[in-house]
Amino acid sequence: MTLKNALFMPFILFLCFYLSACSQDDKKSMAEPNVTDTEIQAGRMLISDNCSGCHMEMEDHTFSRISQIRKTPEGWDMNIARMMIFHGLEISSEDRKALVKFLSDTQGLAPSETLAHRDVLERKHNIIEQGTDPDLASMCARCHTYARVALQRRDKTEWQNLVHMHLGQWASIEYQMLSRERDWRADALGSVAEKLGQMYPLKTAAWDEWQNTEWKDMSGEWRIVGHEDGRGDFNGTMRITTTGNDTYKVEYDLVSPEGTSVTGMGKSIVHSGYEWRGASELQGQKYREIWAASKDGNSMTGRFFQKDHSERGGNIIAWRKSDTKGIMTIVPSSLKAGVETEITINGVDLSGDVSIEGAKVTVKSATADRVTLTATADGTPEGQVKITVGNDVSTLALYTEVDYLKVTPEYGISRVGGGGGVIPKVHAQFEATGYSVGPDGVQGTQDDINLGSVPVTWSVDNYNEAAAAMDDAKYAGEITSSGTFIPAEAGPNKMRKYSTNNAGDLKVIATYTDGDRNLTAEAHLIATVQRWNNPPIM
Ligand code: HEC
Ligand code: HEC
C-alpha cells in the first residue's frame, strides 16, 4: 500500500460502507496490510499532536514537509532530534519512538534502497564510502557522509527545501563549499536538486513493491554465526519471541570464539518490515544490533557493536531454522597442507557424509547445526576446494604457506577520550589476513588465495620523521595483542613538547611467525582528537 493509498484507505472503506458498493468478497480478499488502519490513525494523531503546530495538516491528511519524504529509522530519529534542537520541539521519548516506528513503516526505504549504504547505517568505522555519485559527492558529501543523502527519498522541490534549510542554518556554507570554484547555491538549487530528484525520488517501484510484500514476523528458532573483529568467529542459536507491535525478546545461546558457552538476552524492534534494531547483553557487555532481514524474512545480516564503542564489533548472518538449510560458515576458512587442523562447519539441517577435496577427514562430532572434524591435506590441489556435508557444499582454502599479509583497515582513525571529558576514547581495531600467492607464484594476481584471519603480533611505531620528533608512538596509545589500538587520554600532556595533546601519526605493524620465517605488513593510523557530534548517520 502506498502512503497516499494508506491515507485514503479509511475514507474509501467508509465510502464502501456508505454506498454499500463494495461486495463482501472484495473486503475478504484484501490481505491484512503491513500497517493497519488503526495504526495509521494512531500515527497521524501523533503527528497532529506533536508536529502540526508548525507542519500544517492538509485536507488529504498529509502534513506539510513531513509526508513528502522517506527516510530510514535513523534518518527519522535524527530529523526529530533536529526539530528539538533547532526549532524547540518538545516531545516525550515514547512519542518520539512511536513516531520513528510509524514514519519508518509508512515512509521508509525498501531493502534494495538501503543496500548500497548499509556500512554507514551499521556505523562501520574506517571505511571509504562506495556507490557515490561524484557530482553529488563533491557538493553534498564534504560535511557529512554521502549515505546521509542517499538514504533519503524526495522529489526535486523537497530537495530544494533541504538546500534552503542548509543555506539558512549554516550561513557560511557557500564559503565552506569552496564558493570560488563554483556557485554552490545556484548549483545546489539547480542541477543538483534536479539530479537528486531523479536518482532518489519519493515514489519508487521498490518501495511500492515492498509495501505490498508480506512483512514476516521474526519469531522462531534462528541459527546465528558471526565474526567479532580482533577476536574471531562465534556461532549459536537465537530464540526470538514476539512481544507485540514488531518488538521481540531474544535469547542467545552461543559458542564464543574462545570455545566457551555464552548465554544472554536481548530485545529488538523491526522497522519498515526488515530493519532489525536490537539491544543485547552478553557476559556483562552491552551490544547494539543493526541488521536487515532478507525479503523473504528467513535470514538476517548486519553488524553488532559495543554500546559505548560503536567501533568495536563484528558481522553476523542469521538463518531461520524452519525455512533454511545448508552450510553457513567454515571455521577456520583455510587448511594448511600437512598440518592436522580442527574445522567447524556451521549450518542448518546438516546431515550426510562429510568430505573435503584433497584431504583426509575424521568427524569428531556432528549435529544438524554443527559438524566438527579434523582434516589433513597433502597440498594438492592448492586453492579453493570443495567441502561437502551430504548435499550441501561450500569451499575451503587449501594452501602450503602464508606468503603475504594484509592489515585492514589500511588507514585507520582512533580518537583520544576520557581524561575527565564526556567523550569516550574511540579505539581502532586492526585485523591481519593471510594470503597465498596461488599456483602462479606471483603476488597480487587473480589466483591469490585469501586464507582468512591469521594470528599475528602487533606493534606501533612513528609514521614518519615528524612523528618521531614528537615521540608520537610513546604518547598516542597502545595496541593490544588482539590488534585493538587504545588511544591515550584527552587533554594537554605536560610530558610532551609544547604540552600538546596525545594525538599521533603512527604505523601499525603486524608480524606473522612461521618457524624461522617472519612476515610483516603495515597500516597507517591517525590518533586524533574527539568528535563532539556523533549522530547515528555520520
Ligand atoms: C516549532 C516548530 C516545529 C515543530 C513543532 C516541528 N517542526 Fe519540523 N520543521 C520545522 C521547520 C521550521 C522546518 C524547516 C527547516 C528545517 O528543515 O529545519 C521543519 C522541517 C521538517 C522536515 C523536513 C526536513 C527535511 O529533511 O528537509 C520534517 C520531515 C519535519 N520537520 C518533521 C517534523 C516532525 C515529524 C515533527 C513532530 C515530531 C516536527 N517536524 C515538529 C519546524 C517544526
Ligand atoms: C557545509 C556543510 C554541509 C554541506 C556542504 C551539506 N550538508 Fe547536509 N547537513 C549538514 C549539517 C550540519 C546537517 C545537520 C546535522 C545534524 O542534524 O546532525 C545536515 C543535514 C543533512 C540531511 C539530514 C536532514 C534531515 O533532517 O533529515 C540531509 C538529507 C542532508 N544534509 C543532505 C545534504 C545535501 C543533499 C547536500 C548537498 C546539496 C548537503 N547536505 C550538503 C551540513 C552540510
Side-chain angles (χ1 to χ4, degrees):
M1 197 190 289
T2 64
L3 173 68
K4 238 183 173 170
N5 287 345
L7 292 173
F8 277 121
M9 208 57 209
F11 176 68
I12 292 168
L13 285 178
F14 172 73
L15 207 68
C16 290
F17 175 73
Y18 185 71
L19 299 174
S20 298
C22 306
S23 75
Q24 202 61 28
D25 285 338
D26 281 353
K27 273 187 228 162
K28 260 197 202 145
S29 67
M30 283 191 308
E32 173 83 356
N34 292 319
V35 185
T36 63
D37 291 344
T38 325
E39 286 165 343
I40 288 167
Q41 300 284 9
R44 217 186 273 153
M45 196 62 88
L46 276 174
I47 303 181
S48 192
D49 286 350
N50 287 288
C51 323
S52 67
C54 304
H55 294 274
M56 226 184 0
E57 184 166 3
M58 307 298 175
E59 271 181 17
D60 63 359
H61 295 303
T62 59
F63 292 85
S64 71
R65 299 298 318 276
I66 299 177
S67 309
Q68 300 77 21
I69 310 178
R70 292 191 287 120
K71 305 186 191 204
T72 56
E74 281 75 10
W76 281 117
D77 196 52
M78 282 171 68
N79 192 139
I80 295 176
R82 199 160 63 72
M83 292 300 119
M84 296 164 80
I85 297 164
F86 287 7
H87 306 306
L89 162 73
E90 284 175 17
I91 185 169
S92 68
S93 64
E94 298 87 72
D95 278 9
R96 179 173 169 177
K97 279 183 200 150
L99 260 179
V100 167
K101 170 86 180 117
F102 173 68
L103 288 164
S104 306
D105 286 354
T106 52
Q107 297 170 236
L109 264 64
S112 61
E113 293 177 318
T114 60
L115 202 59
H117 303 283
R118 296 208 70 85
D119 283 356
V120 174
L121 265 188
E122 291 173 355
R123 288 179 231 185
K124 273 191 194 151
H125 276 244
N126 299 324
I127 50 139
I128 293 166
E129 277 195 282
Q130 306 292 324
T132 60
D133 176 274
D135 295 343
L136 296 182
S138 73
M139 288 286 288
C140 307
R142 286 187 184 175
C143 305
H144 44 66
T145 56
Y146 183 88
R148 189 183 288 187
V149 181
L151 290 174
Q152 298 215 351
R153 295 292 180 277
R154 47 174 101 200
D155 291 332
K156 182 183 167 187
T157 51
E158 265 305 330
W159 284 110
Q160 286 172 324
N161 286 340
L162 179 74
V163 171
H164 284 299
M165 183 277 279
H166 280 70
L167 288 162
Q169 205 66 49
W170 301 292
S172 63
I173 191 168
E174 291 176 78
Y175 298 106
Q176 277 176 268
M177 289 307 296
L178 312 172
S179 57
R180 279 188 207 171
E181 69 167 33
R182 70 184 78 205
D183 186 349
W184 193 85
R185 184 176 187 277
D187 289 356
L189 289 169
S191 59
V192 170
E194 182 83 43
K195 191 166 190 178
L196 284 164
Q198 279 162 9
M199 283 178 70
Y200 307 116
L202 177 65
K203 202 173 155 38
T204 60
W207 179 241
D208 281 353
E209 192 202 319
W210 180 239
Q211 283 191 304
N212 290 318
T213 305
E214 188 200 335
W215 297 355
K216 239 190 188 167
D217 185 285
M218 305 309 281
S219 309
E221 284 284 327
W222 291 69
R223 187 84 168 96
I224 179 168
V225 297
H227 179 84
E228 186 165 343
D229 300 332
R231 200 170 157 204
D233 288 66
F234 61 89
N235 77 88
T237 52
M238 288 193 294
R239 173 174 291 133
I240 303 180
T241 327
T242 181
T243 43
N245 294 328
D246 301 331
T247 64
Y248 299 93
K249 185 182 90 173
V250 190
E251 292 158 272
Y252 298 86
D253 189 353
L254 307 174
V255 181
S256 75
E258 296 78 26
T260 57
S261 158
V262 176
T263 55
M265 298 287 289
K267 52 185 189 172
S268 81
I269 181 162
V270 175
H271 292 292
S272 316
Y274 71 102
E275 290 283 13
W276 171 282
R277 298 295 181 266
S280 55
E281 189 167 335
L282 295 159
Q283 290 180 307
Q285 178 66 57
K286 289 191 164 82
Y287 292 97
R288 293 288 178 264
E289 301 160 352
I290 299 191
W291 302 347
S294 58
K295 274 192 165 183
D296 65 9
N298 290 333
S299 67
M300 289 194 270
T301 52
R303 184 167 179 264
F304 65 92
F305 49 82
Q306 295 181 7
K307 178 176 175 260
D308 300 319
H309 284 282
S310 61
E311 72 277 18
R312 302 194 57 181
N315 296 316
I316 64 98
I317 301 171
W319 286 6
R320 192 193 291 270
K321 284 177 83 168
S322 55
D323 294 76
T324 58
K325 171 175 171 50
I327 298 173
M328 298 174 79
T329 47
I330 312 284
V331 185
S333 58
S334 61
L335 172 62
K336 186 174 176 171
V339 180
E340 190 186 65
T341 306
E342 185 170 309
I343 292 175
T344 303
I345 305 170
N346 294 303
V348 173
D349 199 9
L350 300 173
S351 68
D353 292 343
V354 184
S355 69
I356 299 174
E357 203 184 332
K360 199 168 80 55
V361 168
T362 313
V363 175
K364 291 174 66 185
S365 70
T367 65
D369 278 357
R370 192 161 38 228
V371 177
T372 310
L373 53 88
T374 52
T376 319
D378 63 7
T380 45
E382 195 171 39
Q384 297 292 347
V385 298
K386 262 193 207 165
I387 179 165
T388 317
V389 184
N391 293 325
D392 299 315
V393 185
S394 185
T395 57
L396 179 75
L398 199 56
Y399 70 105
T400 46
E401 233 172 33
V402 175
D403 293 316
Y404 66 100
L405 297 180
K406 269 190 195 169
V407 176
T408 47
E410 283 174 57
Y411 184 65
I413 291 180
S414 72
R415 295 175 186 277
V416 295
V422 293
I423 306 282
K425 294 175 180 182
V426 175
H427 303 170
Q429 180 64 54
F430 292 89
E431 287 227 317
T433 306
Y435 287 85
S436 152
V437 294
D440 72 356
V442 185
Q443 180 170 334
T445 50
Q446 281 272 318
D447 75 341
D448 289 14
I449 309 159
N450 181 328
L451 308 172
S453 295
V454 289
V456 294
T457 54
W458 294 99
S459 59
V460 292
D461 202 353
N462 296 303
Y463 185 70
N464 54 22
E465 276 175 31
M470 289 300 292
D471 245 348
D472 283 358
K474 181 173 168 195
Y475 293 109
E478 282 172 352
I479 195 157
T480 67
S481 60
S482 50
T484 313
F485 180 79
I486 301 182
E489 302 242 295
N493 182 348
K494 283 202 203 104
M495 309 289 285
R496 298 199 78 175
K497 205 171 169 182
Y498 315 124
S499 285
T500 191
N501 63 22
N502 287 319
D505 192 3
L506 304 173
K507 54 182 157 189
V508 170
I509 306 153
T511 308
Y512 172 83
T513 308
D514 177 19
D516 51 8
R517 220 165 44 96
N518 274 341
L519 295 174
T520 62
E522 287 178 10
H524 191 176
L525 169 66
I526 300 285
T528 187
V529 296
Q530 302 99 312
R531 257 189 84 114
W532 297 94
N533 189 354
N534 290 300
I537 301 177
M538 290 282 189

